Amino acid sequence: ASPAQRPSNGGQFDEVERLLKAATDPGSIALRARAQIAQGHYQEAQTLLTPVASAQPDSDAALELGLLELYLGRRADGIRRLRLLAGRLAPRTARDYFRLAQAASALAGFQDAQAFKEANSFFRDANKLAPDDPDINAAWGELFLDKHNPADAMKSFQEALRVDDSHVSALIGAAQVNSGMNPPAAKAALERALKINPNAVPALLLQAELSLDDRERDAARESIKKALAVNPNSLEARSLQAAIARLEDQTAEFERQVQDVLKINPSFGEVYRVAGDHLARNYRFDEAVILVRRALTIDADNTRAYSDLGTHLLRTGDEPGARVALERAFKGDAFDQTTFNQLDLLDTIDKFVTITDGDIIMRLDPSEVGVMREYAMPLAKQALQTLQKLYDFKVTGPILIEMFPKHDQFAVRTIGLPGFIGALGACFGRVVTLDSPSARDPGEFHWGETL
């Protein structure tokens, strides 16, 4: 291991530079460049890496330069460089296989399913030769996370932490896995990561995301401010900052910040997707749709944006539009279980019977429509009239109500995944989803009260 490995893990950039300034090997050059990249000194990193990457196209320096080119939107250059590395490198050591795995992981992000399989295979080969290398295990976990496999991701992160409980990337990865399931555990892992490396921008930004989920925008701003103090050119930090401006309807400021991001990477559609995601988390689905469509005009290959668009459209009631977006997302990433589930459920909903009465469109399972249409539609109309009068509010556009005879169907329609224990119904504004009487044992709940 390089003597600069520990200060690199701790975010001690000046110490990394001091220790490695005289070194000329590709591994040391790559570590120095990584420290520069972490601070947003992209041009300096490129200057450092280019001569070594050109001389040794299968080296760590070539890998680092390829990843940097992808990050800055020079996609053709980055893909070419990483493919050249993969074609040239004849692996013998664990670190050789690790380099191949990282190159293939990056290529897998560009709708290359074969690259994911190769990356997984290379990680397995690297792990066989060096089962206790925490860098390999942490990066393998990140690959699993990218491919929607949190269980295997957590195993890899835990394996890295078993060997080195201060491994910052593994701590951040574990926090990411827990962020949706166990936020307190996620926060604890992030606090530990930031104690070891206060300059860990990914940890600060995940901290900001968790704060935004808790509606604590000031805390989120503070985390983003710390991230930008480390790396003023972080695309992710600037995008999250822009998302907050959009949430607070500072439209001109949002557009200014977006342009600042696009100056760094002109194809970074994520800046719009992230803002759309946060609008959707605040039930502003129509606005989210507009922003994600803008993301796709900048980067038409952003699979995650297609997936988000499909989900947002489902929540506005545009099921045909959602299907088109989700099919495109699934074509780019067949590992996304949420996208698969939603497409599968749309096939089921296509068989439902649709009843329209005034401002209400109701979709019911064929096996239940004979009975439920007589009760559910009159109750829905009465409820809508009562609530419009009570709140002095007029519905614009129809309300779509879907009742599901299986609870997991309701869960998938609502959050994209089965489960959703404890919920009986959900409202997204113009879309209402709920369990039908068949979805629960008799006496467990009152469907009419839920509706």
Side-chain angles (χ1 to χ4, degrees), residues 34 59-60 63-64 66-67 70 82 85 94-109 115 118-120 122-123 126 135-136 139-140 142-143:
R34 209 172 297 155
S59 66
D60 283 323
L63 171 68
E64 205 62 49
L67 297 176
L70 292 181
L82 294 178
L85 183 153
R95 283 278 154 171
D96 289 340
Y97 282 110
F98 183 30
R99 204 175 312 132
L100 284 170
Q102 289 172 288
S105 293
L107 293 170
E118 288 172 358
N120 197 36
F122 290 139
F123 272 121
D135 291 344
I136 292 170
W140 200 1
E142 286 165 11
L143 177 71

PDB file of all heavy atoms in Angstrom, residues 34 59-60 63-64 66-67 70 82 85 94-109 115 118-120 122-123 126 135-136 139-140 142-143:
ATOM      1  N   ARG A  34      -6.172  12.201  -7.807  1.00  0.00           N
ATOM      2  CA  ARG A  34      -7.445  12.011  -7.090  1.00  0.00           C
ATOM      3  C   ARG A  34      -7.629  13.089  -6.028  1.00  0.00           C
ATOM      4  O   ARG A  34      -8.737  13.588  -5.807  1.00  0.00           O
ATOM      5  CB  ARG A  34      -7.462  10.616  -6.469  1.00  0.00           C
ATOM      6  CG  ARG A  34      -8.857  10.028  -6.326  1.00  0.00           C
ATOM      7  CD  ARG A  34      -8.802   8.581  -5.901  1.00  0.00           C
ATOM      8  NE  ARG A  34      -8.141   7.744  -6.879  1.00  0.00           N
ATOM      9  CZ  ARG A  34      -7.527   6.593  -6.606  1.00  0.00           C
ATOM     10  NH1 ARG A  34      -7.464   6.168  -5.358  1.00  0.00           N
ATOM     11  NH2 ARG A  34      -6.968   5.889  -7.548  1.00  0.00           N
ATOM     12  N   SER A  59      -2.646   1.779 -17.161  1.00  0.00           N
ATOM     13  CA  SER A  59      -2.221   2.079 -15.785  1.00  0.00           C
ATOM     14  C   SER A  59      -3.333   2.717 -14.957  1.00  0.00           C
ATOM     15  O   SER A  59      -4.392   3.089 -15.462  1.00  0.00           O
ATOM     16  CB  SER A  59      -1.029   3.043 -15.827  1.00  0.00           C
ATOM     17  OG  SER A  59      -1.441   4.302 -16.355  1.00  0.00           O
ATOM     18  N   ASP A  60      -3.049   2.870 -13.651  1.00  0.00           N
ATOM     19  CA  ASP A  60      -3.960   3.579 -12.743  1.00  0.00           C
ATOM     20  C   ASP A  60      -4.192   5.013 -13.219  1.00  0.00           C
ATOM     21  O   ASP A  60      -5.295   5.554 -13.086  1.00  0.00           O
ATOM     22  CB  ASP A  60      -3.374   3.618 -11.327  1.00  0.00           C
ATOM     23  CG  ASP A  60      -3.516   2.290 -10.602  1.00  0.00           C
ATOM     24  OD1 ASP A  60      -4.548   1.629 -10.795  1.00  0.00           O
ATOM     25  OD2 ASP A  60      -2.595   1.921  -9.853  1.00  0.00           O
ATOM     26  N   LEU A  63      -6.731   4.991 -15.968  1.00  0.00           N
ATOM     27  CA  LEU A  63      -8.067   4.791 -15.380  1.00  0.00           C
ATOM     28  C   LEU A  63      -8.596   6.102 -14.814  1.00  0.00           C
ATOM     29  O   LEU A  63      -9.731   6.514 -15.096  1.00  0.00           O
ATOM     30  CB  LEU A  63      -8.004   3.728 -14.282  1.00  0.00           C
ATOM     31  CG  LEU A  63      -9.277   3.573 -13.439  1.00  0.00           C
ATOM     32  CD1 LEU A  63     -10.419   3.011 -14.269  1.00  0.00           C
ATOM     33  CD2 LEU A  63      -9.009   2.690 -12.221  1.00  0.00           C
ATOM     34  N   GLU A  64      -7.771   6.779 -14.031  1.00  0.00           N
ATOM     35  CA  GLU A  64      -8.197   8.014 -13.369  1.00  0.00           C
ATOM     36  C   GLU A  64      -8.552   9.084 -14.402  1.00  0.00           C
ATOM     37  O   GLU A  64      -9.537   9.816 -14.235  1.00  0.00           O
ATOM     38  CB  GLU A  64      -7.085   8.509 -12.440  1.00  0.00           C
ATOM     39  CG  GLU A  64      -7.567   9.368 -11.284  1.00  0.00           C
ATOM     40  CD  GLU A  64      -8.498   8.638 -10.339  1.00  0.00           C
ATOM     41  OE1 GLU A  64      -8.197   7.514  -9.889  1.00  0.00           O
ATOM     42  OE2 GLU A  64      -9.569   9.218 -10.045  1.00  0.00           O
ATOM     43  N   GLY A  66      -9.555   8.560 -17.532  1.00  0.00           N
ATOM     44  CA  GLY A  66     -10.810   8.158 -18.192  1.00  0.00           C
ATOM     45  C   GLY A  66     -12.031   8.512 -17.349  1.00  0.00           C
ATOM     46  O   GLY A  66     -13.032   9.019 -17.865  1.00  0.00           O
ATOM     47  N   LEU A  67     -11.934   8.245 -16.051  1.00  0.00           N
ATOM     48  CA  LEU A  67     -13.056   8.571 -15.148  1.00  0.00           C
ATOM     49  C   LEU A  67     -13.284  10.080 -15.089  1.00  0.00           C
ATOM     50  O   LEU A  67     -14.435  10.548 -15.061  1.00  0.00           O
ATOM     51  CB  LEU A  67     -12.772   8.029 -13.743  1.00  0.00           C
ATOM     52  CG  LEU A  67     -12.642   6.502 -13.618  1.00  0.00           C
ATOM     53  CD1 LEU A  67     -12.270   6.118 -12.189  1.00  0.00           C
ATOM     54  CD2 LEU A  67     -13.930   5.805 -14.032  1.00  0.00           C
ATOM     55  N   LEU A  70     -15.070  11.273 -18.245  1.00  0.00           N
ATOM     56  CA  LEU A  70     -16.506  10.980 -18.164  1.00  0.00           C
ATOM     57  C   LEU A  70     -17.209  11.989 -17.261  1.00  0.00           C
ATOM     58  O   LEU A  70     -18.294  12.486 -17.582  1.00  0.00           O
ATOM     59  CB  LEU A  70     -16.738   9.559 -17.622  1.00  0.00           C
ATOM     60  CG  LEU A  70     -16.311   8.389 -18.507  1.00  0.00           C
ATOM     61  CD1 LEU A  70     -16.637   7.075 -17.818  1.00  0.00           C
ATOM     62  CD2 LEU A  70     -16.999   8.447 -19.867  1.00  0.00           C
ATOM     63  N   LEU A  82     -11.109   4.132 -21.516  1.00  0.00           N
ATOM     64  CA  LEU A  82     -11.375   2.988 -20.637  1.00  0.00           C
ATOM     65  C   LEU A  82     -11.433   1.684 -21.433  1.00  0.00           C
ATOM     66  O   LEU A  82     -10.998   0.633 -20.949  1.00  0.00           O
ATOM     67  CB  LEU A  82     -12.669   3.212 -19.866  1.00  0.00           C
ATOM     68  CG  LEU A  82     -12.637   4.384 -18.866  1.00  0.00           C
ATOM     69  CD1 LEU A  82     -13.991   4.562 -18.185  1.00  0.00           C
ATOM     70  CD2 LEU A  82     -11.547   4.192 -17.812  1.00  0.00           C
ATOM     71  N   LEU A  85      -7.885   0.716 -22.124  1.00  0.00           N
ATOM     72  CA  LEU A  85      -7.294   0.112 -20.927  1.00  0.00           C
ATOM     73  C   LEU A  85      -7.716  -1.358 -20.817  1.00  0.00           C
ATOM     74  O   LEU A  85      -6.886  -2.245 -20.593  1.00  0.00           O
ATOM     75  CB  LEU A  85      -7.755   0.895 -19.687  1.00  0.00           C
ATOM     76  CG  LEU A  85      -7.196   0.475 -18.322  1.00  0.00           C
ATOM     77  CD1 LEU A  85      -7.176   1.671 -17.365  1.00  0.00           C
ATOM     78  CD2 LEU A  85      -8.001  -0.656 -17.680  1.00  0.00           C
ATOM     79  N   ALA A  94      -4.199  -8.720  -8.109  1.00  0.00           N
ATOM     80  CA  ALA A  94      -5.514  -8.265  -7.647  1.00  0.00           C
ATOM     81  C   ALA A  94      -5.779  -6.833  -8.097  1.00  0.00           C
ATOM     82  O   ALA A  94      -6.891  -6.485  -8.520  1.00  0.00           O
ATOM     83  CB  ALA A  94      -5.588  -8.357  -6.120  1.00  0.00           C
ATOM     84  N   ARG A  95      -4.718  -5.997  -8.050  1.00  0.00           N
ATOM     85  CA  ARG A  95      -4.897  -4.585  -8.435  1.00  0.00           C
ATOM     86  C   ARG A  95      -5.145  -4.438  -9.940  1.00  0.00           C
ATOM     87  O   ARG A  95      -5.845  -3.524 -10.366  1.00  0.00           O
ATOM     88  CB  ARG A  95      -3.675  -3.771  -8.001  1.00  0.00           C
ATOM     89  CG  ARG A  95      -3.668  -3.462  -6.507  1.00  0.00           C
ATOM     90  CD  ARG A  95      -4.532  -2.259  -6.196  1.00  0.00           C
ATOM     91  NE  ARG A  95      -5.058  -2.274  -4.838  1.00  0.00           N
ATOM     92  CZ  ARG A  95      -5.693  -1.251  -4.280  1.00  0.00           C
ATOM     93  NH1 ARG A  95      -5.902  -0.140  -4.962  1.00  0.00           N
ATOM     94  NH2 ARG A  95      -6.163  -1.336  -3.058  1.00  0.00           N
ATOM     95  N   ASP A  96      -4.591  -5.357 -10.754  1.00  0.00           N
ATOM     96  CA  ASP A  96      -4.890  -5.348 -12.189  1.00  0.00           C
ATOM     97  C   ASP A  96      -6.383  -5.624 -12.415  1.00  0.00           C
ATOM     98  O   ASP A  96      -7.054  -4.931 -13.183  1.00  0.00           O
ATOM     99  CB  ASP A  96      -4.071  -6.417 -12.933  1.00  0.00           C
ATOM    100  CG  ASP A  96      -2.591  -6.072 -13.019  1.00  0.00           C
ATOM    101  OD1 ASP A  96      -2.253  -4.882 -12.857  1.00  0.00           O
ATOM    102  OD2 ASP A  96      -1.783  -7.004 -13.237  1.00  0.00           O
ATOM    103  N   TYR A  97      -6.875  -6.668 -11.755  1.00  0.00           N
ATOM    104  CA  TYR A  97      -8.302  -7.001 -11.896  1.00  0.00           C
ATOM    105  C   TYR A  97      -9.182  -5.861 -11.353  1.00  0.00           C
ATOM    106  O   TYR A  97     -10.242  -5.567 -11.909  1.00  0.00           O
ATOM    107  CB  TYR A  97      -8.626  -8.308 -11.155  1.00  0.00           C
ATOM    108  CG  TYR A  97      -8.208  -9.544 -11.914  1.00  0.00           C
ATOM    109  CD1 TYR A  97      -7.152 -10.342 -11.476  1.00  0.00           C
ATOM    110  CD2 TYR A  97      -8.887  -9.921 -13.076  1.00  0.00           C
ATOM    111  CE1 TYR A  97      -6.764 -11.480 -12.175  1.00  0.00           C
ATOM    112  CE2 TYR A  97      -8.504 -11.064 -13.780  1.00  0.00           C
ATOM    113  CZ  TYR A  97      -7.449 -11.837 -13.323  1.00  0.00           C
ATOM    114  OH  TYR A  97      -7.081 -12.964 -14.028  1.00  0.00           O
ATOM    115  N   PHE A  98      -8.720  -5.229 -10.278  1.00  0.00           N
ATOM    116  CA  PHE A  98      -9.460  -4.112  -9.685  1.00  0.00           C
ATOM    117  C   PHE A  98      -9.567  -2.958 -10.684  1.00  0.00           C
ATOM    118  O   PHE A  98     -10.624  -2.344 -10.859  1.00  0.00           O
ATOM    119  CB  PHE A  98      -8.747  -3.671  -8.400  1.00  0.00           C
ATOM    120  CG  PHE A  98      -9.448  -2.574  -7.634  1.00  0.00           C
ATOM    121  CD1 PHE A  98     -10.830  -2.435  -7.660  1.00  0.00           C
ATOM    122  CD2 PHE A  98      -8.712  -1.677  -6.867  1.00  0.00           C
ATOM    123  CE1 PHE A  98     -11.474  -1.434  -6.940  1.00  0.00           C
ATOM    124  CE2 PHE A  98      -9.335  -0.673  -6.140  1.00  0.00           C
ATOM    125  CZ  PHE A  98     -10.721  -0.548  -6.184  1.00  0.00           C
ATOM    126  N   ARG A  99      -8.457  -2.683 -11.392  1.00  0.00           N
ATOM    127  CA  ARG A  99      -8.468  -1.606 -12.381  1.00  0.00           C
ATOM    128  C   ARG A  99      -9.458  -1.925 -13.500  1.00  0.00           C
ATOM    129  O   ARG A  99     -10.228  -1.066 -13.941  1.00  0.00           O
ATOM    130  CB  ARG A  99      -7.046  -1.436 -12.950  1.00  0.00           C
ATOM    131  CG  ARG A  99      -6.773  -0.057 -13.528  1.00  0.00           C
ATOM    132  CD  ARG A  99      -5.311   0.069 -13.946  1.00  0.00           C
ATOM    133  NE  ARG A  99      -4.420  -0.405 -12.897  1.00  0.00           N
ATOM    134  CZ  ARG A  99      -3.407  -1.239 -13.072  1.00  0.00           C
ATOM    135  NH1 ARG A  99      -3.099  -1.683 -14.276  1.00  0.00           N
ATOM    136  NH2 ARG A  99      -2.660  -1.629 -12.049  1.00  0.00           N
ATOM    137  N   LEU A 100      -9.435  -3.169 -13.970  1.00  0.00           N
ATOM    138  CA  LEU A 100     -10.387  -3.589 -15.002  1.00  0.00           C
ATOM    139  C   LEU A 100     -11.827  -3.471 -14.507  1.00  0.00           C
ATOM    140  O   LEU A 100     -12.718  -3.034 -15.244  1.00  0.00           O
ATOM    141  CB  LEU A 100     -10.100  -5.042 -15.411  1.00  0.00           C
ATOM    142  CG  LEU A 100      -8.893  -5.276 -16.317  1.00  0.00           C
ATOM    143  CD1 LEU A 100      -8.600  -6.772 -16.423  1.00  0.00           C
ATOM    144  CD2 LEU A 100      -9.134  -4.680 -17.696  1.00  0.00           C
ATOM    145  N   ALA A 101     -12.043  -3.840 -13.245  1.00  0.00           N
ATOM    146  CA  ALA A 101     -13.390  -3.777 -12.670  1.00  0.00           C
ATOM    147  C   ALA A 101     -13.892  -2.340 -12.614  1.00  0.00           C
ATOM    148  O   ALA A 101     -15.054  -2.053 -12.925  1.00  0.00           O
ATOM    149  CB  ALA A 101     -13.385  -4.391 -11.267  1.00  0.00           C
ATOM    150  N   GLN A 102     -13.019  -1.416 -12.220  1.00  0.00           N
ATOM    151  CA  GLN A 102     -13.425  -0.012 -12.129  1.00  0.00           C
ATOM    152  C   GLN A 102     -13.731   0.572 -13.510  1.00  0.00           C
ATOM    153  O   GLN A 102     -14.689   1.336 -13.667  1.00  0.00           O
ATOM    154  CB  GLN A 102     -12.326   0.800 -11.438  1.00  0.00           C
ATOM    155  CG  GLN A 102     -12.199   0.514  -9.945  1.00  0.00           C
ATOM    156  CD  GLN A 102     -10.984   1.205  -9.357  1.00  0.00           C
ATOM    157  OE1 GLN A 102      -9.851   0.817  -9.606  1.00  0.00           O
ATOM    158  NE2 GLN A 102     -11.219   2.235  -8.585  1.00  0.00           N
ATOM    159  N   ALA A 103     -12.910   0.199 -14.500  1.00  0.00           N
ATOM    160  CA  ALA A 103     -13.169   0.666 -15.868  1.00  0.00           C
ATOM    161  C   ALA A 103     -14.510   0.124 -16.372  1.00  0.00           C
ATOM    162  O   ALA A 103     -15.330   0.874 -16.930  1.00  0.00           O
ATOM    163  CB  ALA A 103     -12.038   0.235 -16.795  1.00  0.00           C
ATOM    164  N   ALA A 104     -14.739  -1.167 -16.159  1.00  0.00           N
ATOM    165  CA  ALA A 104     -15.997  -1.775 -16.614  1.00  0.00           C
ATOM    166  C   ALA A 104     -17.192  -1.202 -15.856  1.00  0.00           C
ATOM    167  O   ALA A 104     -18.271  -1.010 -16.435  1.00  0.00           O
ATOM    168  CB  ALA A 104     -15.929  -3.292 -16.441  1.00  0.00           C
ATOM    169  N   SER A 105     -17.025  -0.902 -14.555  1.00  0.00           N
ATOM    170  CA  SER A 105     -18.111  -0.290 -13.763  1.00  0.00           C
ATOM    171  C   SER A 105     -18.519   1.047 -14.357  1.00  0.00           C
ATOM    172  O   SER A 105     -19.709   1.356 -14.462  1.00  0.00           O
ATOM    173  CB  SER A 105     -17.676  -0.068 -12.312  1.00  0.00           C
ATOM    174  OG  SER A 105     -17.480  -1.278 -11.645  1.00  0.00           O
ATOM    175  N   ALA A 106     -17.525   1.850 -14.735  1.00  0.00           N
ATOM    176  CA  ALA A 106     -17.823   3.159 -15.323  1.00  0.00           C
ATOM    177  C   ALA A 106     -18.540   3.004 -16.660  1.00  0.00           C
ATOM    178  O   ALA A 106     -19.510   3.711 -16.943  1.00  0.00           O
ATOM    179  CB  ALA A 106     -16.535   3.955 -15.501  1.00  0.00           C
ATOM    180  N   LEU A 107     -18.100   2.047 -17.468  1.00  0.00           N
ATOM    181  CA  LEU A 107     -18.742   1.806 -18.767  1.00  0.00           C
ATOM    182  C   LEU A 107     -20.156   1.273 -18.591  1.00  0.00           C
ATOM    183  O   LEU A 107     -21.039   1.545 -19.415  1.00  0.00           O
ATOM    184  CB  LEU A 107     -17.909   0.837 -19.601  1.00  0.00           C
ATOM    185  CG  LEU A 107     -16.534   1.364 -20.051  1.00  0.00           C
ATOM    186  CD1 LEU A 107     -15.698   0.251 -20.659  1.00  0.00           C
ATOM    187  CD2 LEU A 107     -16.695   2.520 -21.036  1.00  0.00           C
ATOM    188  N   ALA A 108     -20.394   0.533 -17.507  1.00  0.00           N
ATOM    189  CA  ALA A 108     -21.736  -0.007 -17.231  1.00  0.00           C
ATOM    190  C   ALA A 108     -22.744   1.113 -17.001  1.00  0.00           C
ATOM    191  O   ALA A 108     -23.947   0.907 -17.152  1.00  0.00           O
ATOM    192  CB  ALA A 108     -21.693  -0.943 -16.022  1.00  0.00           C
ATOM    193  N   GLY A 109     -22.253   2.292 -16.619  1.00  0.00           N
ATOM    194  CA  GLY A 109     -23.147   3.426 -16.416  1.00  0.00           C
ATOM    195  C   GLY A 109     -23.681   3.991 -17.706  1.00  0.00           C
ATOM    196  O   GLY A 109     -24.554   4.873 -17.684  1.00  0.00           O
ATOM    197  N   ALA A 115     -20.858  -4.740 -19.788  1.00  0.00           N
ATOM    198  CA  ALA A 115     -19.812  -4.153 -18.946  1.00  0.00           C
ATOM    199  C   ALA A 115     -20.090  -4.420 -17.476  1.00  0.00           C
ATOM    200  O   ALA A 115     -19.157  -4.646 -16.698  1.00  0.00           O
ATOM    201  CB  ALA A 115     -19.699  -2.647 -19.199  1.00  0.00           C
ATOM    202  N   GLU A 118     -19.008  -7.928 -16.794  1.00  0.00           N
ATOM    203  CA  GLU A 118     -17.548  -7.981 -16.775  1.00  0.00           C
ATOM    204  C   GLU A 118     -17.006  -7.382 -15.475  1.00  0.00           C
ATOM    205  O   GLU A 118     -16.094  -7.933 -14.861  1.00  0.00           O
ATOM    206  CB  GLU A 118     -16.982  -7.221 -17.978  1.00  0.00           C
ATOM    207  CG  GLU A 118     -17.189  -7.943 -19.299  1.00  0.00           C
ATOM    208  CD  GLU A 118     -16.798  -7.082 -20.487  1.00  0.00           C
ATOM    209  OE1 GLU A 118     -16.410  -5.908 -20.279  1.00  0.00           O
ATOM    210  OE2 GLU A 118     -16.890  -7.579 -21.631  1.00  0.00           O
ATOM    211  N   ALA A 119     -17.576  -6.245 -15.071  1.00  0.00           N
ATOM    212  CA  ALA A 119     -17.121  -5.604 -13.842  1.00  0.00           C
ATOM    213  C   ALA A 119     -17.297  -6.539 -12.654  1.00  0.00           C
ATOM    214  O   ALA A 119     -16.384  -6.710 -11.826  1.00  0.00           O
ATOM    215  CB  ALA A 119     -17.903  -4.306 -13.602  1.00  0.00           C
ATOM    216  N   ASN A 120     -18.450  -7.183 -12.575  1.00  0.00           N
ATOM    217  CA  ASN A 120     -18.724  -8.100 -11.461  1.00  0.00           C
ATOM    218  C   ASN A 120     -17.733  -9.254 -11.464  1.00  0.00           C
ATOM    219  O   ASN A 120     -17.208  -9.656 -10.413  1.00  0.00           O
ATOM    220  CB  ASN A 120     -20.163  -8.606 -11.572  1.00  0.00           C
ATOM    221  CG  ASN A 120     -20.656  -9.223 -10.279  1.00  0.00           C
ATOM    222  OD1 ASN A 120     -20.327  -8.769  -9.187  1.00  0.00           O
ATOM    223  ND2 ASN A 120     -21.454 -10.271 -10.401  1.00  0.00           N
ATOM    224  N   PHE A 122     -14.668  -9.238 -12.817  1.00  0.00           N
ATOM    225  CA  PHE A 122     -13.341  -8.737 -12.455  1.00  0.00           C
ATOM    226  C   PHE A 122     -13.232  -8.492 -10.941  1.00  0.00           C
ATOM    227  O   PHE A 122     -12.185  -8.763 -10.341  1.00  0.00           O
ATOM    228  CB  PHE A 122     -13.023  -7.450 -13.213  1.00  0.00           C
ATOM    229  CG  PHE A 122     -12.794  -7.641 -14.687  1.00  0.00           C
ATOM    230  CD1 PHE A 122     -13.308  -6.722 -15.606  1.00  0.00           C
ATOM    231  CD2 PHE A 122     -12.078  -8.720 -15.169  1.00  0.00           C
ATOM    232  CE1 PHE A 122     -13.096  -6.890 -16.970  1.00  0.00           C
ATOM    233  CE2 PHE A 122     -11.857  -8.900 -16.531  1.00  0.00           C
ATOM    234  CZ  PHE A 122     -12.373  -7.978 -17.431  1.00  0.00           C
ATOM    235  N   PHE A 123     -14.298  -7.962 -10.344  1.00  0.00           N
ATOM    236  CA  PHE A 123     -14.276  -7.764  -8.886  1.00  0.00           C
ATOM    237  C   PHE A 123     -14.123  -9.110  -8.166  1.00  0.00           C
ATOM    238  O   PHE A 123     -13.386  -9.229  -7.187  1.00  0.00           O
ATOM    239  CB  PHE A 123     -15.557  -7.078  -8.416  1.00  0.00           C
ATOM    240  CG  PHE A 123     -15.494  -5.576  -8.437  1.00  0.00           C
ATOM    241  CD1 PHE A 123     -16.391  -4.836  -9.193  1.00  0.00           C
ATOM    242  CD2 PHE A 123     -14.536  -4.888  -7.705  1.00  0.00           C
ATOM    243  CE1 PHE A 123     -16.326  -3.444  -9.219  1.00  0.00           C
ATOM    244  CE2 PHE A 123     -14.470  -3.505  -7.708  1.00  0.00           C
ATOM    245  CZ  PHE A 123     -15.367  -2.784  -8.482  1.00  0.00           C
ATOM    246  N   ALA A 126     -10.532 -10.172  -8.493  1.00  0.00           N
ATOM    247  CA  ALA A 126      -9.685  -9.357  -7.608  1.00  0.00           C
ATOM    248  C   ALA A 126      -9.854  -9.789  -6.165  1.00  0.00           C
ATOM    249  O   ALA A 126      -8.880  -9.901  -5.403  1.00  0.00           O
ATOM    250  CB  ALA A 126     -10.046  -7.876  -7.768  1.00  0.00           C
ATOM    251  N   ASP A 135     -10.429  -1.579  -0.315  1.00  0.00           N
ATOM    252  CA  ASP A 135     -10.747  -0.763  -1.495  1.00  0.00           C
ATOM    253  C   ASP A 135     -11.558  -1.567  -2.507  1.00  0.00           C
ATOM    254  O   ASP A 135     -12.530  -1.071  -3.082  1.00  0.00           O
ATOM    255  CB  ASP A 135      -9.460  -0.268  -2.175  1.00  0.00           C
ATOM    256  CG  ASP A 135      -8.704   0.748  -1.333  1.00  0.00           C
ATOM    257  OD1 ASP A 135      -9.305   1.288  -0.380  1.00  0.00           O
ATOM    258  OD2 ASP A 135      -7.522   0.992  -1.626  1.00  0.00           O
ATOM    259  N   ILE A 136     -11.139  -2.805  -2.718  1.00  0.00           N
ATOM    260  CA  ILE A 136     -11.833  -3.664  -3.682  1.00  0.00           C
ATOM    261  C   ILE A 136     -13.256  -3.942  -3.212  1.00  0.00           C
ATOM    262  O   ILE A 136     -14.223  -3.800  -3.969  1.00  0.00           O
ATOM    263  CB  ILE A 136     -11.053  -4.977  -3.901  1.00  0.00           C
ATOM    264  CG1 ILE A 136      -9.726  -4.687  -4.622  1.00  0.00           C
ATOM    265  CG2 ILE A 136     -11.882  -5.990  -4.683  1.00  0.00           C
ATOM    266  CD1 ILE A 136      -8.767  -5.862  -4.681  1.00  0.00           C
ATOM    267  N   ALA A 139     -15.522  -0.754  -3.468  1.00  0.00           N
ATOM    268  CA  ALA A 139     -15.893  -0.436  -4.853  1.00  0.00           C
ATOM    269  C   ALA A 139     -16.866  -1.473  -5.416  1.00  0.00           C
ATOM    270  O   ALA A 139     -17.765  -1.136  -6.196  1.00  0.00           O
ATOM    271  CB  ALA A 139     -14.638  -0.355  -5.719  1.00  0.00           C
ATOM    272  N   TRP A 140     -16.692  -2.732  -5.013  1.00  0.00           N
ATOM    273  CA  TRP A 140     -17.627  -3.782  -5.438  1.00  0.00           C
ATOM    274  C   TRP A 140     -19.018  -3.471  -4.880  1.00  0.00           C
ATOM    275  O   TRP A 140     -20.030  -3.607  -5.576  1.00  0.00           O
ATOM    276  CB  TRP A 140     -17.125  -5.134  -4.952  1.00  0.00           C
ATOM    277  CG  TRP A 140     -17.686  -6.326  -5.676  1.00  0.00           C
ATOM    278  CD1 TRP A 140     -18.567  -6.324  -6.714  1.00  0.00           C
ATOM    279  CD2 TRP A 140     -17.370  -7.694  -5.420  1.00  0.00           C
ATOM    280  NE1 TRP A 140     -18.835  -7.609  -7.124  1.00  0.00           N
ATOM    281  CE2 TRP A 140     -18.121  -8.468  -6.345  1.00  0.00           C
ATOM    282  CE3 TRP A 140     -16.542  -8.344  -4.509  1.00  0.00           C
ATOM    283  CZ2 TRP A 140     -18.054  -9.866  -6.366  1.00  0.00           C
ATOM    284  CZ3 TRP A 140     -16.466  -9.739  -4.535  1.00  0.00           C
ATOM    285  CH2 TRP A 140     -17.218 -10.490  -5.451  1.00  0.00           C
ATOM    286  N   GLU A 142     -20.217  -0.551  -4.290  1.00  0.00           N
ATOM    287  CA  GLU A 142     -20.774   0.569  -5.067  1.00  0.00           C
ATOM    288  C   GLU A 142     -21.383   0.075  -6.377  1.00  0.00           C
ATOM    289  O   GLU A 142     -22.415   0.585  -6.832  1.00  0.00           O
ATOM    290  CB  GLU A 142     -19.691   1.614  -5.320  1.00  0.00           C
ATOM    291  CG  GLU A 142     -19.348   2.425  -4.066  1.00  0.00           C
ATOM    292  CD  GLU A 142     -18.049   3.207  -4.201  1.00  0.00           C
ATOM    293  OE1 GLU A 142     -17.516   3.301  -5.331  1.00  0.00           O
ATOM    294  OE2 GLU A 142     -17.564   3.712  -3.171  1.00  0.00           O
ATOM    295  N   LEU A 143     -20.746  -0.932  -6.989  1.00  0.00           N
ATOM    296  CA  LEU A 143     -21.305  -1.509  -8.217  1.00  0.00           C
ATOM    297  C   LEU A 143     -22.665  -2.138  -7.934  1.00  0.00           C
ATOM    298  O   LEU A 143     -23.634  -1.923  -8.666  1.00  0.00           O
ATOM    299  CB  LEU A 143     -20.346  -2.555  -8.797  1.00  0.00           C
ATOM    300  CG  LEU A 143     -20.864  -3.284 -10.048  1.00  0.00           C
ATOM    301  CD1 LEU A 143     -20.895  -2.358 -11.258  1.00  0.00           C
ATOM    302  CD2 LEU A 143     -20.013  -4.517 -10.363  1.00  0.00           C
TER     303      LEU A 143
END
